[in-house]
Amino acid sequence: MKVGGRAMRTIWREGAAVFIIDQTQLPHRFAVKALARAADVAHAIRAMEVRGAPLIGAAAAYGMALAVAEDARDAAIEAAAALLLATRPTAVNLRWALDDMRGALMPLAPEARASRAWARADEIAEEDVASSRAIAAHGLPLIEAALAKKGRGPVEILTHCNAGWLAAVDWGTALAPIYLAHEHGIPLHVWVDETRPRNQGASLTAWELGEHGVPHTVIVDNAGGHLMQRGRVDLAIVGSDRTTAAGDVANKIGTYLKALAACDNGVPFYVALPSSTIDWTIEDGSRIPIEERDASEVSEIAGATADGGIARVRLTPAGSPAANYGFDVTPARLVTALITERGVAKASREGLLALFPERRSRLAGE
Amino acid sequence: MKVGGRAMRTIWREGAAVFIIDQTQLPHRFAVKALARAADVAHAIRAMEVRGAPLIGAAAAYGMALAVAEDARDAAIEAAAALLLATRPTAVNLRWALDDMRGALMPLAPEARASRAWARADEIAEEDVASSRAIAAHGLPLIEAALAKKGRGPVEILTHCNAGWLAAVDWGTALAPIYLAHEHGIPLHVWVDETRPRNQGASLTAWELGEHGVPHTVIVDNAGGHLMQRGRVDLAIVGSDRTTAAGDVANKIGTYLKALAACDNGVPFYVALPSSTIDWTIEDGSRIPIEERDASEVSEIAGATADGGIARVRLTPAGSPAANYGFDVTPARLVTALITERGVAKASREGLLALFPERRSRLAGE
């Protein structure tokens, strides 16, 4: 997608150098950062300079390539994988990318590993772009249908958190169909939930939509229900951190409230996700453990000062505790459909198995 | 209620001097401010140093008393009323208090007006305290019932925005039953929605609960649904800015989302309100116009810096527009009951008329 009129990705390489957009500085500063060693990649993941499951996977792959370029021996590869895995040990895509890279490299002679590592990391990045593009293509007809139903533009779309190209290598998940619709000339406008406490909507989604030229408005997380009640939202599209085999969706805290409001007002509520986020081992989302993060993300916030600096301020009384739940679970009954790289599915076990029939026998065998 | 162990109100007088807590400095600084003239009161209302419908009414009454103490002639009284009304022209309690004061003063000879003005302003403040205490008494059994149902403490109560004593003269509306339950030794814990964009929960509700010693935790507005799903909320109590004759509730933006979640999870959802907020001329809340406030309340936020100062920071990209809707409407079907100074009513026309039978004939005559 575009930044300042120029097409960009969140991660790319030039020869043996890897570059990222440092997302911790957005939306106030746009900074590109060079990563020269695997340790630099580990730092970037840990410090959330890169974030979003697909992007973390691609970054880890490039981290392995950087490690191998320096030392292609078995021990060095294992050490790099361990270093990178420790940055976000629960990230599914991270583990998957590291396993993939080790599987591709270990059978080769050390002298053949560096070129294969770069090639495989590039492939992992391209596969993610292809997956996002496929989600865009499958989601586009849903936006076209909303326009046809409404009879006039703009189609008003609500989204929560950041499931855009900044969370992937390009295109994104929830925002991918929106970018494609915009490219096709469909008039649209995006309501961007600021997404407390980390404000990924206000800082990342608003920034990437603005840079690409997509009309949007930032709202507080409290406002979406009211907008739906007054007919100002034609559809909602959000991402998913983890999707159960029955279609329950664990996503950024607050997603459930928007799904309730969409249901109450007859607004279609779509969840866009790469199939890598589907956890085929769980049916019931209410059993998913919800991460509690540091309370300071609720009690303090950072922003740009009038003089161009960045300041961190405290919002709560010094003596008041705060709690910080990272995700909530939206039950499948509130999800109109899931948009995956294979197509659109009903949010149910049967809906998902129709798109991923290879899982049918595996599940039956379990 | 208590501040630093000492009982306080939001507004009080000592002889011919009026004092307020400057709420714009909370929660980071506790400052008492003396108001010497009607113009000082007008400034305090306009600058939101005092806010909350009942408190604005009491402040306006004291503003009239200050004006009369200076000049008791008809023209001076009318000028003071006009000055005060212009501060928040849509505030129902403001207009009511000013009309009440004019009605009490104009029939009197100018030399009798000053003492009557102070006495009537004191009465208006005391009437508000009595109304809040009555709401507390009627709400208490609902909290006792939640404890009985749960079988053990603490009773977990969620609230949104600030409908506490800082919004009234003392006790408040939504928080009044909570303070009374706390006084009765009922173990309880309050989940405080931070309430973006103005953060009245994080800055005012958390502060007043903390100062009074009521256990509480600040959460982002996104979190309440998740807490209800996981059985961590036994009941919700919120206030109301305007209640229709059929029981629809216009309250701070985001209230509707919490009511949806409460309904979805079988959590009782109560609305506490003085009957002065009931608009007997409207049945259907979806017809209530919703105020749009300045977008900078969404895109910027103020807080305390590490060095003890107050800083304002920008949260959104410079080029991204923001929209700021002040209220939403919770339909009566989602409200378990209304708690008024007359008792607890079903959120319906019949429920309200049973408590306010004098309205029955008036409505029939319209």
Side-chain angles (χ1 to χ4, degrees):
Chain A
M1 300 293 107
K2 285 182 190 158
V3 177
R6 183 178 146 221
M8 288 204 82
R9 289 184 171 183
T10 54
I11 191 165
W12 68 96
R13 77 168 171 115
E14 299 173 9
V18 175
F19 297 89
I20 58 164
I21 298 171
D22 178 359
Q23 299 192 23
T24 60
Q25 305 211 37
L26 294 176
H28 308 299
R29 290 181 196 140
F30 174 70
V32 168
K33 201 164 171 177
L35 305 177
R37 309 183 57 184
D40 298 339
V41 176
H43 171 80
I45 296 173
R46 197 181 297 108
M48 300 187 76
E49 293 170 357
V50 291
R51 23 69 59 195
L55 173 52
I56 287 173
Y62 280 115
M64 291 295 284
L66 286 167
V68 170
E70 200 165 306
D71 183 344
R73 287 173 293 184
D74 287 9
I77 291 174
E78 293 300 344
L83 172 77
L84 290 161
L85 183 63
T87 56
R88 299 282 296 269
T90 60
V92 175
N93 281 53
L94 175 63
R95 183 181 294 270
W96 170 86
L98 294 171
D99 286 348
D100 181 285
M101 291 294 284
R102 283 161 69 231
L105 299 174
M106 294 308 255
L108 303 181
E111 58 275 16
R113 285 173 176 170
S115 65
R116 178 68 191 125
W118 287 118
R120 182 62 198 139
D122 288 345
E123 280 168 20
I124 286 175
E126 290 302 333
E127 284 165 12
D128 182 62
V129 175
S131 169
S132 291
R133 273 217 191 96
I135 289 171
H138 293 303
L140 177 63
L142 303 174
I143 298 176
E144 291 172 331
L147 178 65
K149 187 182 171 195
K150 193 175 189 180
R152 57 178 170 76
V155 180
E156 304 247 32
I157 306 172
L158 183 137
T159 192
H160 191 69
C161 198
N162 176 258
W165 71 272
L166 288 172
V169 176
D170 204 352
W171 290 89
T173 55
L175 298 192
I178 293 172
Y179 285 122
L180 190 59
H182 179 69
E183 203 168 84
H184 282 226
I186 294 175
L188 53 83
H189 168 260
V190 183
W191 296 109
V192 178
D193 277 1
E194 66 172 342
T195 320
R196 289 278 294 146
R198 291 181 60 87
N199 277 44
Q200 295 95 330
S203 55
L204 302 177
T205 299
W207 182 83
E208 62 167 273
L209 290 173
E211 289 293 328
H212 197 73
V214 178
H216 66 284
T217 303
V218 178
I219 51 174
V220 295
D221 302 305
N222 283 324
H226 167 65
L227 290 170
M228 291 183 193
Q229 286 179 306
R230 301 276 159 128
R232 302 286 303 277
V233 180
D234 299 307
L235 70 156
I237 314 182
V238 302
S240 172
D241 282 276
R242 194 167 168 189
T243 313
T244 73
D248 291 353
V249 173
N251 191 47
K252 191 61 53 193
I253 191 84
T255 301
Y256 166 57
L257 294 170
K258 293 302 141 59
L260 283 170
C263 182
D264 198 44
N265 293 284
V267 173
F269 190 88
Y270 299 111
V271 180
L273 57 117
S275 59
S276 58
T277 73
I278 303 172
D279 185 340
W280 296 97
T281 68
I282 297 186
E283 291 263 327
D284 178 3
S286 71
R287 290 171 44 216
I288 295 177
I290 298 299
E291 176 192 8
E292 263 200 78
R293 299 177 54 87
D294 198 281
S296 66
E297 290 184 351
V298 173
S299 58
E300 301 173 11
I301 199 165
T305 56
D307 62 6
I310 302 289
R312 191 162 191 83
V313 296
R314 185 175 176 91
L315 303 174
T316 53
S320 288
N324 184 7
Y325 302 92
F327 304 93
D328 63 20
V329 175
T330 300
R333 66 184 151 87
L334 300 175
V335 177
T336 307
L338 303 171
I339 310 170
T340 78
E341 76 274 18
R342 292 247 187 119
V344 175
K346 195 161 177 301
S348 68
R349 185 187 164 88
E350 280 311 304
L352 281 170
L353 287 175
L355 281 187
F356 300 91
E358 70 273 23
R359 291 283 169 179
R360 196 178 291 274
S361 51
R362 255 190 263 180
L363 285 172
E366 270 164 16
Chain B
M1 300 294 109
K2 285 182 189 154
V3 177
R6 185 179 145 218
M8 289 205 79
R9 290 184 169 183
T10 54
I11 191 164
W12 68 97
R13 78 168 171 114
E14 298 173 10
V18 175
F19 297 88
I20 59 164
I21 298 169
D22 178 359
Q23 299 192 24
T24 60
Q25 304 210 37
L26 294 176
H28 308 299
R29 290 181 195 141
F30 174 71
V32 168
K33 202 165 171 177
L35 306 177
R37 308 183 56 183
D40 297 340
V41 177
H43 171 80
I45 297 173
R46 197 182 296 110
M48 299 187 76
E49 293 170 356
V50 290
R51 24 70 57 197
L55 174 52
I56 287 173
Y62 280 114
M64 291 295 284
L66 286 167
V68 170
E70 199 167 307
D71 183 344
R73 287 173 293 185
D74 288 10
I77 291 174
E78 293 299 346
L83 171 76
L84 289 161
L85 184 62
T87 56
R88 299 281 297 267
T90 60
V92 175
N93 282 52
L94 176 64
R95 182 181 295 269
W96 170 86
L98 294 171
D99 287 348
D100 181 285
M101 290 295 285
R102 283 161 68 231
L105 299 175
M106 293 309 252
L108 303 181
E111 57 275 17
R113 286 174 177 171
S115 64
R116 178 73 191 120
W118 286 119
R120 183 63 198 138
D122 287 345
E123 282 167 18
I124 286 175
E126 290 302 335
E127 285 165 11
D128 183 60
V129 175
S131 170
S132 290
R133 269 215 194 98
I135 288 171
H138 293 303
L140 177 63
L142 303 174
I143 297 176
E144 290 171 330
L147 179 63
K149 186 182 172 195
K150 194 176 188 181
R152 55 176 172 77
V155 180
E156 304 247 32
I157 306 172
L158 184 137
T159 192
H160 191 70
C161 199
N162 177 258
W165 71 272
L166 287 172
V169 176
D170 204 351
W171 291 87
T173 55
L175 298 193
I178 293 172
Y179 285 123
L180 191 58
H182 179 69
E183 203 167 85
H184 283 227
I186 294 176
L188 52 82
H189 168 260
V190 184
W191 295 109
V192 178
D193 277 1
E194 64 171 344
T195 318
R196 290 276 294 144
R198 290 181 61 87
N199 278 42
Q200 294 96 330
S203 56
L204 302 177
T205 299
W207 182 84
E208 62 167 273
L209 290 173
E211 289 293 327
H212 197 73
V214 179
H216 66 284
T217 303
V218 178
I219 51 174
V220 295
D221 301 305
N222 283 326
H226 167 64
L227 290 170
M228 293 183 193
Q229 285 179 308
R230 301 274 161 129
R232 303 286 304 277
V233 181
D234 300 308
L235 69 157
I237 315 182
V238 302
S240 172
D241 282 276
R242 194 168 168 189
T243 314
T244 73
D248 290 353
V249 173
N251 191 46
K252 190 62 52 191
I253 191 84
T255 301
Y256 165 57
L257 294 171
K258 293 302 140 59
L260 283 169
C263 181
D264 198 43
N265 293 284
V267 173
F269 190 87
Y270 299 111
V271 180
L273 56 118
S275 60
S276 58
T277 72
I278 303 172
D279 185 340
W280 296 97
T281 68
I282 296 187
E283 291 265 326
D284 178 4
S286 71
R287 290 170 45 217
I288 295 176
I290 299 298
E291 176 193 8
E292 264 200 76
R293 299 178 53 88
D294 198 281
S296 66
E297 290 183 352
V298 173
S299 58
E300 300 172 12
I301 199 164
T305 56
D307 62 5
I310 302 289
R312 193 164 189 81
V313 297
R314 185 176 178 89
L315 303 175
T316 53
S320 287
N324 184 7
Y325 302 92
F327 304 93
D328 62 22
V329 175
T330 299
R333 66 183 152 86
L334 300 176
V335 177
T336 307
L338 303 171
I339 310 170
T340 78
E341 75 275 18
R342 292 245 189 120
V344 175
K346 194 162 179 298
S348 67
R349 185 186 164 92
E350 280 312 304
L352 281 170
L353 286 175
L355 281 188
F356 300 91
E358 71 274 22
R359 292 284 170 176
R360 199 179 289 275
S361 51
R362 254 191 263 180
L363 285 172
E366 270 164 15

